[in-house]
């Protein structure tokens, strides 16, 4: 990392993609460095895909894709002598996720002879008693618990001389804001810019075009896409404050709240936007959010397609009849009491997304029927799914005088999903220090 005397007049942040492993074009890195990037920042995780990844500690991204992205990012960081910050490593930001990404980084540095010092920021929540009123049984059920860090642990690692920071679970904005805040940029523009660029090109008119580049200064920030064929507009930039926020004018961070009600978005040219007027209001108490995932049971899924016009005319009646028939068979054949298992029948192409809120469409041309069976153990879930097999293949309505046939998507028709998880923690802890719940592990140079 270059040695700069005093805070700079501005800080350039290069975000090549919305998530590590999603891929980006090499030209995005080249252009970002040419624009004068001071730091490379990329998010490595999310809760968008549900609790499975935290529950198992596994990543949702392919190792080959993560390795490909990291190889280019590490080379760029080394070549330009700027730091690389990766947040929420391994999707969930658990210790196993951080260690997984760290192993890939170590291998790349050795293979490509890169001389980089790597810091791992990991949570230590398991060693801390909860300060919020939580049920002890709920905590005991959690397969994994992570604490969501703000920018301070990342800044601590950068101040310690890290060239690469591999962070555990972190707010998406902290990953992008940490370096600018460390360099003395005002928190209003730094946090607002970080929020806008957290998902890469999603704040542009070409959301599949590539990453973005933001330059933060003492009165605001400018933002532009890395792809010359895409553009940032006042609308596309301002609209990203609607993403994953309860209020489009505010967003809470561990140390305070981003306030953008007075922000002004101005087009500097056809593809660059200037933002001024953002504020950051410090909180009276620093809080760290906890995320925990627990096993709720085991699942088996089956999928069949219905094209029979008579069934489709009365698809709701058919679904109710199916549910009744399955419940009777489970009670009679498997002798399982009601409440010891569950079956969720979803009609894709009819009302699978909104359910009862869906405005009733015209008779569909076809419907995909997904049956999701849940039970306390895999054997039971599978047995119920097998019992449902004939119903998903030939169940006719009582008034029908012929036997319909439906189309299974796979053979065998059922697929065991294994353990199912749910998020069971949505709490924050009051802490005395922003870094006290996280441990810093600095490696020696990755390659001599």
């Amino acid at each position: 990392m270059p040695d700069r005397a005093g805070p700079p007049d501005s800080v350039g942040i290069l975000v090549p993609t919305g998530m590590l492993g999603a891929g980006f074009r090499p030209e995005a890195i080249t252009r970002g460095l040419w624009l004068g990037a001071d730091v490379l920042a990329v998010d490595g995780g999310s809760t968008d895909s549900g609790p499975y990844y935290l529950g198992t500690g596994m990543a949702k991204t392919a190792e080959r894709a993560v390795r490909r992205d990291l190889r280019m990012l590490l080379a760029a960081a080394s070549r330009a002598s700027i730091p690389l910050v990766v947040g929420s490593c391994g999707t969930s930001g658990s210790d196993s996720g951080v260690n997984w990404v760290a192993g890939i980084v170590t291998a790349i540095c050795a293979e490509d002879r890169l001389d980089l010092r790597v810091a791992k920021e990991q949570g230590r929540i398991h060693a801390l008693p909860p300060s919020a009123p939580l049920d002890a049984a709920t905590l005991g059920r959690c397969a994994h618990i992570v604490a969501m860090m703000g920018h301070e642990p990342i800044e601590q690692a950068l101040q310690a001389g890290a060239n690469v920071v591999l962070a555990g679970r972190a707010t998406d904005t902290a990953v992008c804001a940490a370096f600018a805040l460390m360099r003395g940029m005002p928190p209003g523009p730094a946090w607002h810019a970080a929020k806008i660029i957290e998902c890469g090109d999603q704040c542009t008119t070409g959301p599949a075009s590539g990453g973005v580049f933001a330059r933060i200064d003492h009165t605001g920030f400018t933002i532009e896409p890395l792809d010359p064929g895409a553009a940032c507009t006042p609308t596309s930039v301002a609209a990203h404050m609607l993403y994953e926020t309860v209020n489009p004018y505010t967003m809470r961070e561990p140390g305070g709240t981003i306030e953008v009600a007075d922000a002004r978005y101005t087009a500097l040219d056809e593809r660059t936007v200037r933002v001024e007027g953002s504020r950051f209001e410090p909180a009276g108490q620093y809080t760290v959010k906890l995320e925990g995932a627990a096993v709720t049971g085991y699942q088996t899924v089956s999928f069949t397609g219905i094209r029979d016009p008579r069934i489709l005319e009365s698809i709701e009646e058919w679904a109710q009849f199916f549910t009744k028939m399955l419940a009777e068979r489970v009670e009679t054949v498997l002798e399982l009491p009601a409440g010891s298992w569950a079956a969720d029948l979803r009609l894709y192409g009819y009302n699978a997304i909104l359910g009862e809120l869906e405005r009733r469409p015209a008779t569909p041309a076809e419907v995909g029927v997904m049956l999701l069976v849940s039970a306390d153990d895999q054997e039971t879930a599978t047995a119920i799914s097998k019992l449902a097999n004939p119903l998903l293949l030939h169940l006719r309505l009582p008034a029908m005088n012929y036997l319909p046939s439906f189309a299974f998507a796979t053979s065998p028709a059922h697929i065991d999903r294994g353990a199912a998880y749910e998020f069971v923690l949505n709490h924050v802890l009051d802490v005395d220090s922003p870094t006290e719940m996280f441990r810093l592990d600095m490696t020696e140079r990755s390659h001599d």
Side-chain angles (χ1 to χ4, degrees), residues 242-439:
L242 294 167
Y243 179 67
E244 294 182 337
T245 56
V246 176
N247 185 326
Y249 300 112
T250 66
M251 192 176 79
R252 178 61 195 264
E253 290 291 324
T257 301
I258 306 169
E259 300 277 357
V260 303
D262 297 327
R264 301 177 303 279
Y265 303 82
T266 304
L268 298 183
D269 53 38
E270 293 182 350
R271 55 189 310 279
T272 307
V273 170
R274 173 74 179 174
V275 182
E276 295 183 345
S278 316
R279 295 182 295 107
F280 185 80
E281 295 294 337
Q285 172 65 55
Y286 196 99
T287 57
V288 173
K289 183 177 181 291
L290 302 182
E291 294 175 349
V295 175
T296 58
Y298 294 80
Q299 294 182 337
T300 301
V301 65
S302 302
F303 192 92
T304 193
I306 297 180
R307 193 67 173 76
D308 187 291
R310 176 66 182 86
I311 298 289
L312 295 175
E313 287 175 359
S314 305
I315 189 65
E316 290 187 59
E317 179 186 351
W318 181 89
Q320 293 170 359
F321 186 50
F322 174 94
T323 302
K324 177 177 178 292
M325 291 293 293
L326 179 60
E328 290 177 355
R329 291 193 178 194
V330 170
E331 182 178 3
T332 302
V333 179
L334 300 180
E335 299 181 338
L336 293 175
S340 66
W341 61 281
D344 183 10
L345 192 71
R346 304 178 187 178
L347 305 175
Y348 282 93
Y350 185 70
N351 66 354
I353 307 302
L354 292 180
E356 294 300 319
L357 296 177
E358 183 67 72
R359 295 178 60 187
R360 291 294 174 256
T363 301
E366 62 182 18
V367 166
V369 179
M370 187 179 80
L371 175 66
L372 186 65
V373 176
S374 302
D376 290 338
D377 58 82
Q378 188 66 67
E379 181 182 3
T380 301
T382 303
I384 296 171
S385 182
K386 288 182 176 181
L387 199 61
N389 182 294
L391 304 178
L392 290 172
L393 184 60
H394 290 302
L395 180 66
R396 64 183 178 184
L397 290 165
M400 291 177 62
N401 58 4
Y402 65 92
L403 188 68
S405 292
F406 311 139
F408 280 123
T410 61
S411 179
H414 72 277
I415 301 172
D416 292 338
R417 293 195 64 247
Y421 296 84
E422 69 174 349
F423 288 118
V424 295
L425 292 184
N426 187 29
H427 300 78
V428 295
L429 295 180
D430 295 342
V431 295
D432 296 326
S433 166
T435 60
E436 70 178 72
M437 296 182 68
F438 309 96
R439 65 184 185 275

Side-chain angles (χ1 to χ4, degrees), residues 16-378:
T17 181
M19 185 171 182
L20 184 69
F24 53 85
R25 292 192 291 269
E27 307 90 84
I29 297 292
T30 302
R31 178 165 175 79
L33 295 180
W34 179 81
L35 289 170
D38 297 292
V39 62
L40 287 157
V42 62
D43 186 24
S46 172
T47 58
D48 290 353
S49 298
Y52 173 85
Y53 303 101
L54 175 58
T56 61
M58 297 175 62
K60 81 169 190 175
T61 44
E63 180 173 349
R64 181 181 299 181
V66 171
R67 186 179 297 272
R68 179 259 186 196
D69 285 2
L70 279 173
R71 175 160 270 120
M72 285 194 286
L73 291 170
L74 290 166
S78 177
R79 183 170 68 254
S81 296
I82 60 175
L84 166 64
V85 180
V86 181
S88 299
C89 289
T91 305
S92 65
S94 63
D95 282 3
S96 59
V98 175
N99 291 334
W100 178 66
V101 174
I104 297 173
V105 168
T106 299
I108 292 173
C109 287
E111 293 164 5
D112 296 351
R113 303 183 66 82
L114 300 177
D115 189 18
L116 298 171
R117 194 178 187 197
V118 180
K120 295 189 294 183
E121 284 284 359
Q122 297 169 300
R124 54 181 180 89
I125 180 62
H126 291 292
L128 296 175
S131 61
L134 295 177
D135 187 293
T138 300
L139 289 174
R141 288 177 55 212
C142 289
H144 292 99
I145 301 173
V146 292
M148 185 179 290
M149 70 179 72
H151 76 283
E152 293 88 352
I154 299 171
E155 181 177 333
Q156 180 185 45
L158 292 169
Q159 293 281 17
N163 305 108
V164 179
V165 179
L166 305 178
R169 188 70 174 112
T171 72
D172 297 349
T173 39
V175 175
C176 297
F179 188 84
L181 291 168
M182 184 184 74
R183 290 300 186 190
M185 295 298 104
W191 282 113
H192 190 187
K195 168 58 184 170
I196 299 302
I197 64 178
E198 62 174 347
C199 291
D201 53 19
Q202 294 301 309
C203 63
T204 76
T205 59
S209 61
V212 290
F213 181 85
R215 182 162 293 282
I216 304 168
D217 55 48
H218 290 277
T219 59
F221 65 93
T222 58
I223 181 170
E224 64 177 283
L226 294 171
D227 184 347
C232 283
T233 68
T235 298
S236 70
V237 172
H240 200 69
M241 280 302 301
L242 294 167
Y243 179 67
E244 294 182 337
T245 56
V246 176
N247 185 326
Y249 300 112
T250 66
M251 192 176 79
R252 178 61 195 264
E253 290 291 324
T257 301
I258 306 169
E259 300 277 357
V260 303
D262 297 327
R264 301 177 303 279
Y265 303 82
T266 304
L268 298 183
D269 53 38
E270 293 182 350
R271 55 189 310 279
T272 307
V273 170
R274 173 74 179 174
V275 182
E276 295 183 345
S278 316
R279 295 182 295 107
F280 185 80
E281 295 294 337
Q285 172 65 55
Y286 196 99
T287 57
V288 173
K289 183 177 181 291
L290 302 182
E291 294 175 349
V295 175
T296 58
Y298 294 80
Q299 294 182 337
T300 301
V301 65
S302 302
F303 192 92
T304 193
I306 297 180
R307 193 67 173 76
D308 187 291
R310 176 66 182 86
I311 298 289
L312 295 175
E313 287 175 359
S314 305
I315 189 65
E316 290 187 59
E317 179 186 351
W318 181 89
Q320 293 170 359
F321 186 50
F322 174 94
T323 302
K324 177 177 178 292
M325 291 293 293
L326 179 60
E328 290 177 355
R329 291 193 178 194
V330 170
E331 182 178 3
T332 302
V333 179
L334 300 180
E335 299 181 338
L336 293 175
S340 66
W341 61 281
D344 183 10
L345 192 71
R346 304 178 187 178
L347 305 175
Y348 282 93
Y350 185 70
N351 66 354
I353 307 302
L354 292 180
E356 294 300 319
L357 296 177
E358 183 67 72
R359 295 178 60 187
R360 291 294 174 256
T363 301
E366 62 182 18
V367 166
V369 179
M370 187 179 80
L371 175 66
L372 186 65
V373 176
S374 302
D376 290 338
D377 58 82
Q378 188 66 67

